[in-house]
Amino acid sequence: MFITVAVLCVCIVFFINGRVRSDLVALCALMILMLSGILTPAEALSSFSDSLVIMVIGLFVVSGALLRTGLAQMVGSRLLKLAGASEERLFFLIIAVTTMIGAFISNTGTVALVMPIVVSMSMQSDINIRRLLMPLAFAGSIGGMFTLIGTAPNLVIQGVLVQHGYTDLRFFSFAPTGLVVFFVGTLGFWLLSKIFLSKKVDIKEKHHSKTLKELAEEYHIMNKTFVVKVSAGSPVEGKPLCELNITEKYSVNIARVIRKGEHGFIIRNEDTVETAGPETVIHADNIVEVLGSAENVERFIEDNSLKLIKGGSGEISDTGIAEAVLLPNSKLVDVKISESGFRKKYNVNILAVNHRRKYKSDNLADEVMRAGDALLVQGRWEDLGRLNRDYENIVLVGQPLDEASKVTLNHKAPLAALIMFIMIASMVTETLTPPVAIMCAGLAMVLTGCLRNMEEAYHLINWESVVLLASMLPMSIALNKTGAVELVTNSIVSSFGEMGPYALLAGIYFSTSFLTLFISNTATAVLFAPIALQVAESMELSPYPLLMAVTIAASMCFASPFSTPSNVMVMTPGRYKFADYLKVGGPMQIVMGIVMIFVLPLIFPF
């Protein structure tokens, strides 16, 4: 038992610390348990073929297809337009729409989808964005409480029930508790956000009518625009930017190239202005707009025989500049900008980084990108549009109004909707088991062209989450084999058993709720679900209310920005501080727990 508990404690410490990938930590723990003989190889590896893991993989593909085809965007944007310019109406519609989408798509994907639409609408209507983004993140979690596939903890408790011979939960078994969570959450967040998040932010931080100039001021690049002229014989003459590696060598970015019009017989042709891209070729006498520090630009000028025309300008050209947030599960997290291949992949430049309100725009090559960082990016509008469709890695939130309000739809959206409907219908009517229905839907998305190919389907799967789940499931087997589950169960029963089933339910709920502040909701559910089941059996109670308490408590974590990926995503765009989550999310997390303790036994009797 000592080894198992020690391994678990070390895992939790690393999960909280966050410096080592969670899937790597879980895999190491799994290997230790196997090598120490606590788990047999069959037990340690069995979870990789578990139906729960298979369903999670399939759901990544299905939800990714709904995003790729534009179906979710179409539904979300059309419904949110009903709000008009009313802040209160927009608030309630955001909660409703996000909850509805979140019932079928991961909360991270849901927030990544809805956030740009909300930011754009708040810009146009001059609505305080701080009142909207935090409830948006919380609503993504609330949506998961409506369906079996809404969130991974739902699937975890389903697996525990089936494994121990209980009747499994149906697709909409979660809906009654989901409705209670929805109404309590909506009312609570409306009151708390009105009290704590209604304060107007400084003009430089306001999202209202955010222009290119305002973005530049916010990221402190206003006085870092230089205009230079290319002399004949310059080392940069006649070469595309992708071959020159100017950003890597000098830590500056080429924003625009102005080519002088040729003189005709009577009139002179107009100058042409080109937003710089990797294939842009610089010629002699071209005027080039360079963004960077005075020191780096001076070095760039000296090395390449250029002539400075205007230095340290406070003017920002009308080029494609936008603000983007790095998603928590992005493959770019913890990667240096110089090693990320960002320019090559997206055809855009990173001008500055905002890491928790600390701005950096100089010498970015060695800057490591973190989850939730906001990046100021520059490039052609069509390239920014492609960047905006990379839902797994990044989401654009601060664009000029006309560009941000555009929503791209796809002719495959109705087909994706039909596949989703058939999947849900087959699960509701029990025509197919959930794993079969989900995998068939994922395959259908590929075969019908809702996804381009299998490579894209594989790319949509968040393998870190899959490996984390598959590696943590055997931990519950080890805890059970070594008697740790029985020890914890006896402790809970002895502490709360004499006070009745409601006290037991409260003990399970708030223990789960506390742990999920520090580690992922999936890992928390994996650890507490077997304990809740054994507590129920030892007290001769129905396991359903206790297991529902585990999944709700694991998912309804609002008091920390780092408890869920969606909470991290809105932190920078909403200009939130850690204290904002404590003031708004803390009371809500406690109130939700108190309500659930009394409501769950009414829906799932002891």
Side-chain angles (χ1 to χ4, degrees):
M1 182 193 298
F2 174 78
I3 295 176
T4 304
V5 174
V7 169
L8 176 60
C9 291
V10 171
C11 280
I12 292 174
V13 169
F14 275 100
F15 287 154
I16 294 172
N17 182 269
R19 292 185 179 179
V20 181
R21 286 172 54 117
S22 57
D23 54 344
L24 179 59
V25 173
L27 272 174
C28 289
L30 181 63
M31 291 301 104
I32 293 172
L33 293 174
M34 185 171 62
L35 293 173
S36 62
I38 296 172
L39 292 175
T40 66
E43 289 172 332
L45 303 176
S46 61
S47 58
F48 285 89
S49 61
D50 192 283
S51 61
L52 168 60
V53 176
I54 300 301
M55 283 192 287
V56 169
I57 291 173
L59 287 172
F60 276 123
V61 176
V62 172
S63 61
L66 296 180
L67 294 172
R68 282 279 195 259
T69 59
L71 175 63
Q73 293 96 314
M74 177 176 62
V75 173
S77 60
R78 288 185 178 179
L79 289 175
L80 287 175
K81 284 180 181 178
L82 298 174
S86 168
E87 179 177 305
E88 300 302 325
R89 198 183 310 156
L90 182 58
F91 177 93
F92 290 113
L93 272 173
I94 287 171
I95 298 289
V97 170
T98 307
T99 299
M100 179 184 68
I101 298 174
F104 306 100
I105 300 177
S106 71
N107 58 354
T108 305
T110 302
V111 175
L113 160 73
V114 179
M115 186 163 61
I117 303 172
V118 171
V119 170
S120 176
M121 295 183 68
S122 68
M123 290 177 185
Q124 297 175 45
S125 304
D126 192 17
I127 293 174
N128 182 11
I129 195 69
R130 284 170 53 80
R131 275 207 69 199
L132 303 178
L133 288 186
M134 191 181 291
L136 163 65
F138 297 154
S141 299
I142 292 173
M145 292 293 97
F146 277 82
T147 64
L148 175 65
I149 64 173
T151 185
N154 293 0
L155 297 173
V156 170
I157 68 167
Q158 166 84 325
V160 170
L161 285 168
V162 172
Q163 183 182 352
H164 290 82
Y166 289 92
T167 303
D168 57 346
L169 295 163
R170 299 193 174 188
F171 189 82
F172 287 113
S173 294
F174 298 83
T177 52
L179 284 171
V180 176
V181 169
F182 172 76
F183 285 115
V184 173
T186 302
L187 178 61
F189 289 129
W190 178 72
L191 291 172
L192 291 168
S193 67
K194 204 168 185 64
I195 296 171
F196 296 112
L197 301 178
S198 290
K199 183 181 177 181
K200 290 291 183 180
V201 294
D202 184 77
I203 185 66
K204 291 185 179 180
E205 297 180 358
K206 286 182 68 175
H207 283 76
H208 133 73
S209 300
K210 185 179 277 189
T211 63
L212 296 174
K213 183 178 179 180
E214 287 172 341
L215 280 170
E217 286 178 343
E218 181 179 333
Y219 280 83
H220 311 308
I221 65 169
M222 279 298 293
N223 296 318
K224 296 182 178 181
T225 302
F226 297 81
V227 180
V228 301
K229 185 176 182 179
V230 180
S231 304
S234 168
V236 302
E237 182 185 356
K239 298 178 181 178
L241 292 178
C242 60
E243 293 182 8
L244 295 172
N245 296 321
I246 292 173
T247 301
E248 289 75 12
K249 290 180 180 178
Y250 301 101
S251 293
V252 300
N253 288 290
I254 307 300
R256 296 194 309 173
V257 177
I258 303 171
R259 309 187 194 279
K260 294 293 183 180
E262 297 180 358
H263 286 278
F265 180 71
I266 300 178
I267 61 174
R268 180 178 178 273
N269 295 332
E270 294 183 356
D271 296 346
T272 59
V273 181
E274 179 182 346
T275 300
E279 303 303 323
T280 299
V281 178
I282 300 177
H283 299 289
D285 295 327
N286 284 171
I287 304 299
V288 178
E289 190 174 88
V290 185
L291 300 177
S293 67
E295 179 184 351
N296 290 334
V297 172
E298 183 179 353
R299 186 160 52 90
F300 172 58
I301 291 173
E302 290 179 356
D303 290 353
N304 295 281
S305 303
L306 306 175
K307 181 181 179 182
L308 179 64
I309 297 177
K310 185 188 296 184
S313 170
E315 299 177 0
I316 295 296
S317 62
D318 185 18
T319 186
I321 292 181
E323 186 180 33
V325 175
L326 207 61
L327 300 185
N329 294 324
S330 169
K331 295 179 176 62
L332 299 172
V333 170
D334 296 331
V335 176
K336 290 183 179 180
I337 289 178
S338 60
E339 300 172 357
S340 65
F342 198 94
R343 181 202 292 268
K344 182 177 180 181
K345 181 177 181 180
Y346 299 111
N347 215 19
V348 299
N349 301 314
I350 298 178
L351 302 182
V353 177
N354 173 5
H355 177 64
R356 300 183 193 173
R357 310 295 299 281
K358 295 179 180 178
Y359 296 86
K360 185 172 183 179
S361 58
D362 295 329
N363 304 315
L364 294 177
D366 293 328
E367 186 73 13
V368 177
M369 295 181 284
R370 306 293 185 188
D373 279 359
L375 312 175
L376 188 66
V377 295
Q378 174 265 332
R380 295 176 298 182
W381 287 121
E382 54 266 35
D383 293 323
L384 291 175
R386 283 194 293 272
L387 171 64
N388 196 28
R389 291 191 285 276
D390 189 356
Y391 304 109
E392 297 82 43
N393 289 302
I394 203 163
V395 56
L396 264 63
V397 294
Q399 295 171 272
L401 303 186
D402 292 341
E403 296 298 329
S405 61
K406 294 178 182 177
V407 179
T408 302
L409 302 181
N410 190 290
H411 65 283
K412 293 288 185 179
L415 188 55
L418 177 62
I419 294 171
M420 184 72 175
F421 174 79
I422 293 173
M423 183 191 81
I424 295 172
S426 65
M427 294 173 69
V428 171
T429 59
E430 299 185 356
T431 305
L432 297 173
T433 60
V436 174
I438 292 169
M439 292 305 293
C440 286
L443 184 60
M445 292 293 188
V446 177
L447 294 176
T448 58
C450 294
L451 296 174
R452 288 188 292 270
N453 47 46
M454 283 298 291
E455 284 72 22
E456 184 175 22
Y458 288 133
H459 181 70
L460 290 169
I461 299 169
N462 186 332
W463 292 106
E464 180 178 353
S465 298
V466 172
V467 173
L468 171 65
L469 176 60
S471 300
M472 287 300 294
L473 284 173
M475 178 69 76
S476 62
I477 300 175
L479 291 171
N480 196 44
K481 284 181 66 176
T482 57
V485 170
E486 185 177 358
L487 179 62
V488 175
T489 299
N490 292 336
S491 299
I492 293 175
V493 170
S494 61
S495 300
F496 302 102
E498 294 182 359
M499 291 183 279
Y502 283 92
L504 279 173
L505 185 63
I508 291 290
Y509 189 99
F510 284 107
S511 297
T512 307
S513 183
F514 178 76
L515 185 59
T516 201
L517 283 169
F518 307 105
I519 69 175
S520 76
N521 59 358
T522 304
T524 303
V526 168
L527 294 175
F528 269 96
I531 295 172
L533 182 76
Q534 194 154 326
V535 167
E537 290 180 339
S538 65
M539 294 293 293
E540 298 183 352
L541 300 172
S542 168
Y544 292 94
L546 297 184
L547 285 170
M548 289 298 296
V550 168
T551 189
I552 294 172
S555 301
M556 299 295 103
C557 190
F558 311 128
S560 167
F562 311 113
S563 55
T564 65
S566 53
N567 286 4
V568 176
M569 288 167 58
V570 302
M571 189 176 187
T572 299
R575 304 303 186 263
Y576 299 123
K577 300 178 181 178
F578 194 96
D580 293 323
Y581 289 86
L582 288 176
K583 289 186 289 187
V584 177
M588 198 64 250
Q589 194 165 327
I590 295 171
V591 169
M592 191 71 75
I594 294 172
V595 171
M596 285 296 108
I597 289 166
F598 292 100
V599 169
L600 281 176
L602 299 178
I603 302 173
F604 300 95
F606 288 116

